[in-house]
Amino acid sequence: MKISFRRSACTIAAAILLPVTHAQGSPDLSGLLSILNSTPEGTWVQVNLNSYSEAWTPAELRPLYLTSNPDPSKITYAWPSFAWDSNRGDLILYGGGHANYSGNDVYRWHGTTRKWERAALPSELLLNPPGFYTPIDGPDAGPPSSHTYDNSLFLPIIDRFIVFGGAAFNTGGPYNRMNPDGVTYRNTGPYLFDPSKADPNKVGGTTGSHVKRVAPHPEIVGGNMWTNRDYRAYTFTGSTLIPNSHINGVTAYAQENGKDVVYFGARPGQGTDQHLFKYTISSLTDVTQDKLEKVGRFWNGPSDQGAGTYDPTRKLFVRTGPATQPITYWDLNNASPSNNDVVTVPVDASGTFDFNQMRMTGIDYDPTTDQYLIWYGGPDVWRLTPPTPVTSTGWKLDKVSKTSSAAPTIDADSRGILGKWKFIPNLNAFLGLQDFVNGNIWLFKPVGWKLPTGTGNLPPTVSLTSPSAGASFAVGSIVSVTATASDSDGSVTQVAFYVDGGIATTSSGPTYTANLSGLTAGTHSLTAVATDNAGATTTSAAVSITVTSATNTPPTVSLTSPAAGAS
């Protein structure tokens, strides 16, 4: 199958946004790594520099939902998920769907610039006779909008964002397409999106497919960003059952034998039983080489919403669910169509975990620290620990987040975190998406954090610990200064102490102290500059002190003899 694409330049008078381009490979995330390096373990840091709403498609270029025109906040609100493009260091977001948002516009947040950008304008919709919608240029040019639950992933080998959908606009069911007879229809998808073609001023499909209900906008051309994998049109080696619905679906990525692999939970029939499938893409250009296998059977597990993750160390697929089935796992050491799911109720020794929130959580596995972390919004992050060997009993929950001044809040009326919580291998940290309008990006630094390999040199950290800000000293006093400094990927070779921008003295450690003398009366600014073994430097925050002039006290004198009144 040969696919050709055409790109051309365009502008949109309504909202011109300049695209950010990235080369495939290792993205430069040194800015985020430096922030993480100076963030305490077990705490959060917010890193977005603009709001999600700044990138929204203008109202006149959005397809109507009936007669209303909701904004794209519904994409982050209505049972959503994102994917992390590890080739570019970008978050990719698509969603909406069902009765919430009709646009199939795509957004991304750049880890390099720390800013939101629109990646594609939405397509106009076509209502097919059976009552379902597709983009006006057809089901192969892009998907309609859809709830994505935990069904969005990035495939780094073929360099594509993949989405399985869930509750599509406006049927609340799977992606559909008409059969050649023009009367009957069938399921279709999943869809692949090409991030290298992303452009804020192009429609994701073909030229002329953009929304034209206010003005035609001839300058908007097609970016040809989407392709329909349409795996239901082919017979797969080893497949035993074709998934029917991805409502409440869960997914996880794995790389096996040099190929992109997706493990996903889906409903194969008209019921709500969720079985586990393994989908392997061998060739971007030949869908007939794809392989679909059923590797886990629904037995006692949930059909409710939740999130999933894959642990390649233990070969477990683990998902969250309702309070009665909070954790379910499939042991993929025994992968087969008859491999039953196992439900477990982890023990929370603190008694503070709200199991009623488990169906709202996101979960992902950190291979660098060998831990599953769970988040359901707000400041608390929980660790899920399986027993050794893995059995249905002995799983534990404990809170690993520490109290800090910066932390996300729980979104009001949220439909769940689901796929808005991911482990980011480029950072060895977790990313959470919070706030429907602002699209706040939060990084959580896990306990035991390690610098990702091959990321280059990170600068050291340094801070002045004494004297305290505002301290006062008399002229002629010796002022003792102390600093702490460290380097996560090397060693600190020197700390230099500065007074009012001029170097005063240096210290080579292991404790970094100095005695300053000869300070004149007035206010002085003290800083410390740490240098690591690769020559990188960091300057501490300034500490201001005051030196005061000595006050001259007159002598005392008194007559002791003769006594007053003597004759």
Side-chain angles (χ1 to χ4, degrees):
M1 179 175 63
K2 184 177 181 181
I3 305 173
S4 61
F5 298 98
R6 178 172 64 87
R7 288 182 65 92
S8 58
C10 72
T11 58
I12 300 175
I16 299 175
L17 296 176
L18 298 178
V20 177
T21 57
H22 300 281
Q24 185 177 347
S26 298
D28 181 10
L29 298 178
S30 56
L32 293 177
L33 287 169
S34 294
I35 292 172
L36 280 169
N37 191 42
S38 58
T39 300
E41 293 183 0
T43 64
W44 296 88
V45 59
Q46 185 181 339
V47 292
N48 56 299
L49 295 180
N50 70 340
S51 71
Y52 167 50
S53 61
E54 292 178 40
W56 286 353
T57 297
E60 64 271 19
L61 292 177
R62 300 196 295 257
L64 292 177
Y65 167 52
L66 301 178
T67 58
S68 66
N69 190 347
D71 60 54
S73 65
K74 302 299 182 182
I75 295 177
T76 55
Y77 159 83
W79 295 275
S81 60
F82 67 75
W84 179 257
D85 178 350
S86 54
N87 290 343
R88 297 166 184 79
D90 292 347
L91 177 156
I92 303 178
L93 178 68
Y94 146 90
H98 198 195
N100 295 96
Y101 184 70
S102 57
N104 67 351
D105 27 343
V106 182
Y107 298 87
R108 59 183 177 178
W109 178 81
H110 299 293
T112 51
T113 66
R114 297 165 57 189
K115 291 188 175 182
W116 282 98
E117 177 195 272
R118 189 171 59 248
L121 287 165
S123 304
E124 184 57 271
L125 297 174
L126 172 69
L127 179 60
N128 294 275
F132 64 88
Y133 288 88
T134 57
I136 199 167
D137 47 351
D140 291 322
S145 64
S146 179
H147 300 341
T148 54
Y149 301 99
D150 185 30
N151 292 329
S152 299
L153 290 173
F154 180 73
L155 311 179
I157 296 175
I158 66 168
D159 194 36
R160 294 294 185 273
F161 164 73
I162 186 170
V163 63
F164 292 85
F169 181 83
N170 184 27
T171 63
Y175 299 133
N176 288 315
R177 67 181 303 151
M178 295 297 297
N179 287 320
D181 62 14
V183 177
T184 60
Y185 63 97
R186 65 172 175 86
N187 295 354
T188 191
Y191 283 86
L192 301 178
F193 180 85
D194 185 351
S196 70
K197 296 180 179 294
D199 191 307
N201 303 321
K202 294 182 180 180
V203 67
T206 59
T207 299
S209 64
H210 65 280
V211 178
K212 299 180 283 290
R213 57 184 175 77
V214 174
H217 288 293
E219 74 279 7
I220 300 177
V221 299
N224 300 300
M225 304 169 198
W226 290 102
T227 55
N228 185 357
R229 198 64 177 178
D230 199 14
Y231 64 24
R232 290 171 179 84
Y234 304 91
T235 300
F236 295 97
T237 303
S239 65
T240 58
L241 210 55
I242 302 297
N244 175 59
S245 170
H246 293 273
I247 291 176
N248 292 336
V250 293
T251 59
Y253 176 78
Q255 204 170 104
E256 299 177 7
N257 301 315
K259 299 176 182 178
D260 291 309
V261 173
V262 178
Y263 288 100
F264 65 90
R267 303 170 176 179
Q270 296 304 312
T272 59
D273 297 353
Q274 191 172 110
H275 300 255
L276 187 66
F277 296 86
K278 177 182 178 180
Y279 178 42
T280 305
I281 298 182
S282 299
S283 169
L284 178 61
T285 57
D286 187 359
V287 66
T288 64
Q289 294 185 34
D290 291 2
K291 186 176 182 180
L292 181 67
E293 306 165 83
K294 183 181 174 185
V295 294
R297 178 169 64 176
F298 173 88
W299 194 248
N300 294 311
S303 58
D304 200 353
Q305 69 181 48
T309 187
Y310 176 64
D311 173 356
T313 304
R314 299 172 183 84
K315 298 196 71 173
L316 298 178
F317 185 94
V318 181
R319 64 151 296 169
T320 60
T324 55
Q325 301 155 309
I327 298 294
T328 299
Y329 69 90
W330 282 275
D331 185 349
L332 295 178
N333 292 290
N334 307 313
S336 74
S338 59
N339 177 28
N340 292 341
D341 58 35
V342 180
V343 175
T344 182
V345 179
V347 175
D348 167 29
S350 71
T352 59
F353 184 85
D354 185 358
F355 281 91
N356 291 319
Q357 293 291 331
M358 188 67 91
R359 65 186 295 273
M360 310 291 281
T361 64
I363 184 174
D364 213 355
Y365 174 72
D366 175 358
T368 62
T369 58
D370 187 28
Q371 58 184 337
Y372 304 88
L373 293 190
I374 293 173
W375 180 53
Y376 54 79
D380 296 340
V381 176
W382 295 78
R383 175 173 54 200
L384 176 69
T385 305
T388 303
V390 175
T391 62
S392 61
T393 59
W395 292 67
K396 298 179 181 179
L397 275 171
D398 65 297
K399 189 167 72 172
V400 293
S401 53
K402 301 175 183 177
T403 302
S404 61
S405 58
T409 57
I410 297 177
D411 286 328
D413 196 26
S414 173
R415 297 298 189 254
I417 297 300
L418 307 182
K420 294 192 296 181
W421 171 250
K422 294 284 197 311
F423 174 75
I424 309 303
N426 310 73
L427 304 172
N428 280 350
F430 286 78
L431 190 153
L433 172 59
Q434 174 259 347
D435 192 306
F436 313 133
V437 174
N438 293 315
N440 292 333
I441 304 293
W442 291 90
L443 292 179
F444 180 78
K445 184 176 179 178
V447 176
W449 181 79
K450 301 174 183 176
L451 184 72
T453 57
T455 55
N457 180 53
L458 283 182
T461 61
V462 61
S463 62
L464 281 171
T465 57
S466 69
S468 59
S472 180
F473 302 88
V475 167
S477 298
I478 301 297
V479 178
S480 178
V481 293
T482 304
T484 59
S486 62
D487 189 47
S488 61
D489 59 346
S491 60
V492 175
T493 57
Q494 161 184 293
V495 171
F497 295 96
Y498 285 73
V499 178
D500 300 328
I503 189 168
T505 185
T506 61
S507 174
S508 58
T511 58
Y512 305 103
T513 61
N515 291 322
L516 306 180
S517 60
L519 297 181
T520 59
T523 300
H524 298 280
S525 177
L526 308 181
T527 53
V529 177
T531 304
D532 70 10
N533 58 314
T537 61
T538 300
T539 302
S540 73
V543 170
S544 180
I545 64 171
T546 301
V547 177
T548 60
S549 300
T551 301
N552 184 40
T553 303
T556 60
V557 61
S558 63
L559 284 171
T560 58
S561 178
S567 175

